[in-house]
Every structure is written in structure tokens, then in C-alpha cells.
Amino acid sequence: MDSIYKALTEFESSGLLLRDFFIASDSRSLKSAYLVLNQAASALTEEEWLAVEYDFNALFVGPGKLKAAPYASVYLEEAGLVMGKTTLSLREFMEQLGLSLNKENNIPDDHISCVLELAVLLSVNARQSAEYTEAFIHYVNEYVLSWVPVYCEKIKINAQTAPLRHVAETLSDWLDELKTRVSI
């Protein structure tokens, strides 16, 4: 696994760090992912971390209506439901490339963590294959940029804690870099 990470660019590594943050499943993994993503965050108190965890759940997990649902289909489907036609189209796109998700975590294909991981995977492979370059450009322009900027704005608007606003800004900056990589 370490050899895979050594082959990644800083941009690609950052994408995986963002993936790890958005896929955090408990307070320990959330804190760990955030600390790796933002080295200056270690000064938060335990009470502040509880507020971040509460904010994370309100934005992305629930219960109740999510303030910033981490699923593409919520933004791209008329009914705003998870696992709609756009999710199935994404699955078909991946299958055409010979890819599939590891179903271990039971996360829908259009979850932001999966979207980021696929962008990184395509970026890595695009450096060595024209087929992947075309797929990478298509994926970013037709899929990622069609909803992730709106998702970032929802986080910025609804986040109650500075760490979550910081992650939204980090994701926005990462998207800006992603745009430059597909417009070359």
C-alpha cells in the first residue's frame, strides 16, 4: 500500500485525505482524518471536537434531513433521492473502465468519498494512458463539476464549526486544482 501512495502526486494524496475525512465513521476516525488534513488543528479541545462531530453528523450523516448531503444524486436528480439514474450512470461508466466499488462499507457509488477516490484513480491512470485521460476529463467535467461545487457551498453555508468550513474550503481549492488538470 505504501508504494501506491509514493506514486501519488501531492494533489492526488490530498484528494485521498479529503476522501478519508468524508468517509469517517466515528469520532476517532473523524478527528484523525481532520488532523492529517489540517496539521494546525491539534489545539482543539475535547468540547470543540464534540461540536465538530455533531456538525459533521448534521451535515452529512443524520438523523434528520442532511444539511449538505454527500451524495451526487441528491443534487443531480429531480427528486433528490440517493441511488438515482445518475448513480447508475456512474456505475456504468466505472464498469466500462473495468472498475467497481469495494462494497465493504455499503456506501452508495455517488458518495463524495467514492467520487474523490475515483477522481484520484483516474488522475493517476491518466498520466500513463490516453484512454484514462479521456475518461478523467469526461468524469470531471460531466460529473464532478456538475455537483461538488454546490455541495461545497452547502457545507460553507450550513457548517456551524470552523473545522467543517475549513474542509469545505480545502475541497473547493482541490476542485480548482482539478479543473486546471482537466483543462490542460
Side-chain angles (χ1 to χ4, degrees):
M1 184 75 116
D2 289 336
S3 62
I4 293 171
Y5 286 104
K6 288 177 185 174
L8 299 177
T9 65
E10 184 177 332
F11 166 76
E12 293 159 349
S13 295
S14 296
L16 293 182
L17 292 175
L18 284 161
R19 174 211 54 194
D20 293 347
F21 177 81
F22 286 109
I23 202 171
S25 60
D26 57 34
S27 59
R28 187 183 56 71
S29 62
L30 177 65
K31 185 176 183 178
S32 175
Y34 185 73
L35 290 174
V36 173
L37 195 59
N38 180 17
Q39 305 294 327
S42 59
L44 293 177
T45 67
E46 204 54 43
E47 187 176 311
E48 290 168 322
W49 276 115
L50 283 173
V52 170
E53 184 179 3
Y54 178 83
D55 201 17
F56 181 90
N57 288 329
L59 289 165
F60 313 126
V61 179
K65 184 172 174 20
L66 303 180
K67 295 179 180 178
Y71 308 101
S73 52
V74 170
Y75 301 91
L76 301 175
E77 297 287 326
E78 195 172 308
L81 300 175
V82 177
M83 293 298 292
K85 290 178 185 174
T86 55
T87 306
L88 298 177
S89 293
L90 174 62
R91 189 174 288 166
E92 288 174 16
F93 171 76
M94 290 171 51
E95 286 173 359
Q96 289 172 354
L97 294 170
L99 304 171
S100 65
L101 284 180
N102 177 349
K103 298 296 182 184
E104 185 176 299
N105 295 320
N106 294 325
I107 296 173
D109 304 36
D110 67 340
H111 187 275
I112 186 64
S113 63
C114 298
V115 170
L116 293 169
E117 186 169 352
L118 181 55
V120 169
L121 178 66
L122 292 173
S123 174
V124 168
N125 285 295
R127 286 188 267 133
Q128 292 154 31
S129 163
E131 175 191 6
Y132 278 101
T133 300
E134 288 179 34
F136 180 50
I137 292 168
H138 174 78
Y139 177 68
V140 171
N141 287 328
E142 301 299 320
Y143 190 75
V144 177
L145 296 178
S146 67
W147 75 276
V148 179
V150 175
Y151 173 65
C152 289
E153 286 307 310
K154 281 203 169 263
I155 299 170
K156 290 175 188 176
I157 290 167
N158 291 296
Q160 300 298 305
T161 59
L164 273 288
R165 287 190 295 274
H166 177 264
V167 169
E169 198 58 49
T170 302
L171 180 56
S172 290
D173 292 345
W174 192 84
L175 280 176
D176 289 342
E177 175 67 19
L178 183 64
K179 286 181 212 174
T180 66
R181 289 173 181 269
V182 296
S183 64
I184 294 173

